[in-house]
Amino acid sequence: MIPLSVTWDDIGGLVDAHERFLTGARVDADVRGAVLDSWKRCRSVGLEPDRLLVPYAPGPALDDTVLRAAEPVLQRLTGSLSDVGMTVALCDGHGRMVQRLGGDRLLRGRLDDVRFAPGFDASEQVVGTNGVGTALAERGPVYVVGREHFADCLQPFACAGAPVRNPLSGHIEAVLDLTCLRDDSDPLMLRLVREAARDIEARLLEQATQRERALLAAYRRAGRDADGWPPQPAGTGAGRYGEGAGARLGRIDLAVLREKAEELIAAPHRTLDEVMLSGGRSALLLRRQVRGAAGETGVVVEARILGGAGMGAVGLSGPATVAGVVPVPPSATEATVESTVTVPISTITTPPKKGAAVTGLPGSPTSPPLPTLLLPSPQPSPAEPVTDDRLLLLGDPGVGRLAVLARRRLELLHEAGIRIGTTLDVARTAEELAEVAVPWFADFAAVDLPDPVLHGEEPGPLGADTSLRRVAVGSVREEPDLYGVGDQVGYVPSTPQSRSLETGRAVLEPVLAEAGGWLAQDPARLARVLTAGIHSLITVPLRARGTTLGVVSFYRSEHPAPFEEDDLSLAQELAGRAAICIDNARRYTREHNTALALQRSLLPKGRPEQSAVEVAYRYLPAQAGVGGDWFDVIPLSGARVALVVGDVVGHGLHAAATMGRLRTAVHNFCSLDLPPDELLTHLDDLVGRLDRGEGWAVDSSQADSGIVGATCLYAVYDPVSRHCALTRAGHPLPAVVGPDGTVEFVDLPSGQPLGLGGMPFETVELELAEGSQLVLYTDGLIEDRHQDIDAGLERLRTVLACADRSPEETCEAVLDALLPARPSDDVALLVARTRALGPERVAQWELPSDPAVVSRSRAAVTEQLAAWGLDELSFTVELVASELVTNAIRHATGPVQLRLLRDRALICEVSDGSGTSPRLRRARTEDEGGRGLFLVAQLTERWGTRYTPDGKVIWTELPLP
């Protein structure tokens, strides 16, 4: 069944999607796949929606056989639509309109205005997406509504088109189309046009069988000796085998004769064949041309039985005694023939080989044609004279019922190879199987899988009472009494589905009304299903790599013929192909979920406690697989904060694991309070070692497999000075959004990606106004295969240009405007709005290198803490400041600075001009010094050292009361 999406009006998304498509934007999530493919074809041939030149060709015509087949169908269809405003159009195989029937005056006038009338070309390359041209291009039924048309002038209409194929050659002879105004559209139009096209194809096939009947009549008129058979000696009509010697042939002999005759009729360069039969007999087969009264040409194969008991086989050139001839009763030539088969002595149900053509000779006008081979000699009757014709097979080489079925099966398998497994999504792959099977093979198809398969897990043993979930359904019409998508299904042991799961084999139920095991599932519900017309079933287990993944059920209702044994092989082939694709999708889902779980475990779990910036972030994994993007917000000493965004090249577990390594390394380097350029230098060296496989491994085969590259952007913001230092390694430029909404991309030297080594990284320092937003991101946000990076940066600039927006609102706006429907790469976005630590929360003193200032520093600290209302911290802070200032004066050089910061904690810092870092040690009992730093570590929550261009800073943090 052709899947239909919800029709959008001009107020909805199609208006925007159509315009965005014309500007080159991606609209995959907004437009049906068939329509989008058509739009792309229209654009590729240079069509402009507002300018169309529709050529006119006077007198386009169709072949008389097609017109004869289509005329009654068109009359019936037009009559059924007489009360609605809808036209029926018949076009040739190139899309040129031949006839247009029905429709009210308003609709006909509107169609004339857009030149949708006989003589004009409606092919897709001329007028764009429409029911006629797109059906030709897609080689299948299509439904196009309103803005789905590519051309502006066709958007007030809705249409459904279907190609009409010659059922014997498979060639598209015509296109049938239904058109109405958009407001009168109905998805049922697609079903109507598809059924009408099938009716025309059925009439074409009937005309072909009439042609074969004409050939059969010509053969009878020509006589049995017309083409070189020796005349039969008098008195040998019954031959040595008695009356109807052909009837004495066994089933094996009949099968051999049929097989050789089929090979001969399909071989244009062979004329004779000799077949050895049982009982010492042989058969001569002669292939020759026959022509009907109206010029019909065809091929016949005649048979002659030679030899028998007491008589050896006669060679091809020797005299012949014909026994067991194959006369054809005249009534057979006038019977209604549905397909090309033969009529036998005894019923032979095995079908002829693919490519053989056999004539249809039903037993009577009221009974269906019998799949049989050889006709015994009838008893003479006054109304029906006996002939001595020896016809075994008649037809057109390569044409016949089984040739048609074989072609359809090949087309179906070809479609399955193309359409099943286009994604690595389990549910979508199951849907593709149902879409391919319906309506060519079945009228209803359902795919049931256990929940573990949907989650990428091993399904475990499946059998009776296994709980399955209906994942996909395909149907030519709604079947309310069958389970729907999402329903939980538990099959009882007697059902064909349970038998398939347990045995691993396909199960055929040709007559469901007699299938008690199937009815036992739910007698009341399934009785209604039978009443609705479903009559036969094939169930096939979905098996791949020795594992049963689920079961697919094919039902027939609209098809008059029930499933046969031959259909089992086709059903198994379809299910086998789909099972491999479903298993691939399941394995991918498992790996994807594992990688995603690993990556999420390595990403930040929440916002760290810090006051320097207000932070919002987003992380979105790619549809194609988990990548190596990461971000981080790391509090530093002195109320500062580090902002990090990075990207490891590649996807999957390796990229996620490498991302975790790099993020951990950044945290470790941050604990050393390294400057941004120095931190990236250390990170570059680490990536180079990992890329060379210098990590730990149990054996050489487990060494790191090459990272190829990684990028990183590192920024440190100080809320006291409002300075921000940034450096990057091959990463996209950060953006700064001012409080007034102005947007600037920081002119920051790129640097090489991590792991290449050899080049220094440069740092740029900015002064940011309070309330500015620093926007860091990975390249997946601004660059993909449909958009270069410059265009992405401009779009980002446009989105960011807004004042008084919170970081959360900025994240939402950026993703809504720039993120594609199915991102091909991970996206990490970090937005930080700066805050300032005002002068009222900072106290700073410049101290000379004189031991006498220590007492003055203690007094200044006590006074400042009293002003802040932190008197209870006075003793501790006074002691810490005294020890740090004393050490700086005693062991360092240059001016000494003491600073107190009141943030989330009370920070006490002492800076000097020395690059030597103090070491914490434990003094011995007899030592007179060395206990100062130990006391500092015990009295504070954290302490450490950071280096500056002019020296170092010793800092401590004490929790506020």
Side-chain angles (χ1 to χ4, degrees), residues 257-497:
L257 279 177
R258 179 190 57 223
E259 179 179 351
K260 294 300 181 180
E262 292 160 1
E263 294 177 358
L264 192 59
I265 202 170
H269 304 298
R270 294 174 58 193
T271 304
L272 290 172
D273 199 358
E274 183 176 16
V275 182
M276 301 306 298
L277 303 175
S278 62
R281 292 170 295 177
S282 66
L284 294 180
L285 304 183
L286 172 65
R287 178 188 191 275
R288 62 187 180 91
Q289 298 287 332
V290 64
R291 182 182 297 274
E296 305 91 348
T297 60
V299 176
V300 298
V301 174
E302 296 171 319
R304 177 182 303 167
I305 308 300
L306 305 173
M311 177 180 174
V314 180
L316 291 177
S317 59
T321 301
V322 180
V325 297
V326 189
V328 179
S331 60
T333 65
E334 299 173 3
T336 301
V337 180
E338 295 183 0
S339 55
T340 51
V341 293
T342 54
V343 181
I345 274 180
S346 59
T347 299
I348 304 295
T349 58
T350 305
K353 283 188 176 180
K354 179 172 58 180
V358 278
T359 186
L361 299 175
S364 69
T366 59
S367 61
L370 299 173
T372 51
L373 175 66
L374 211 60
L375 193 69
S377 301
Q379 294 297 325
S381 68
E384 189 172 286
V386 176
T387 68
D388 289 332
D389 298 337
R390 298 166 295 274
L391 177 63
L392 180 59
L393 223 59
L394 180 147
D396 196 356
V399 176
R401 173 178 178 267
L402 294 179
V404 174
L405 293 178
R407 183 178 297 111
R408 288 178 178 173
R409 290 179 178 182
L410 288 175
E411 289 176 356
L412 180 58
L413 292 177
H414 175 69
E415 284 289 305
I418 294 175
R419 295 172 55 186
I420 298 178
T422 59
T423 68
L424 287 172
D425 181 82
V426 174
R428 179 58 194 149
T429 304
E431 291 170 359
E432 289 168 344
L433 169 59
E435 291 168 1
V436 167
V438 177
W440 277 12
F441 180 67
D443 299 307
F444 185 91
V447 182
D448 303 320
L449 304 175
D451 286 336
V453 171
L454 296 175
H455 302 147
E457 304 168 6
E458 294 289 341
L462 302 182
D465 297 324
T466 299
S467 179
L468 303 177
R469 187 172 301 279
R470 181 138 297 177
V471 178
V473 166
S475 177
V476 296
R477 57 184 172 87
E478 186 178 1
E479 298 291 348
D481 291 311
L482 289 173
Y483 298 106
V485 173
D487 290 349
Q488 201 78 18
V489 184
Y491 290 109
V492 300
S494 62
T495 58
Q497 289 85 354

Side-chain angles (χ1 to χ4, degrees), residues 789-821:
I789 191 169
D790 292 333
L793 288 174
E794 284 306 311
R795 292 178 62 194
L796 179 60
R797 181 194 298 273
T798 302
V799 176
L800 293 176
C802 181
D804 299 326
R805 185 189 273 164
S806 70
E808 287 289 343
E809 292 171 341
T810 300
C811 285
E812 290 298 326
V814 168
L815 293 185
D816 288 345
L818 274 73
L819 191 68

Side-chain angles (χ1 to χ4, degrees), residues 621-640:
Q623 295 289 336
V626 175
D629 292 13
W630 91 93
F631 62 92
D632 230 323
V633 179
I634 307 172
L636 302 177
S637 64
R640 300 169 305 138

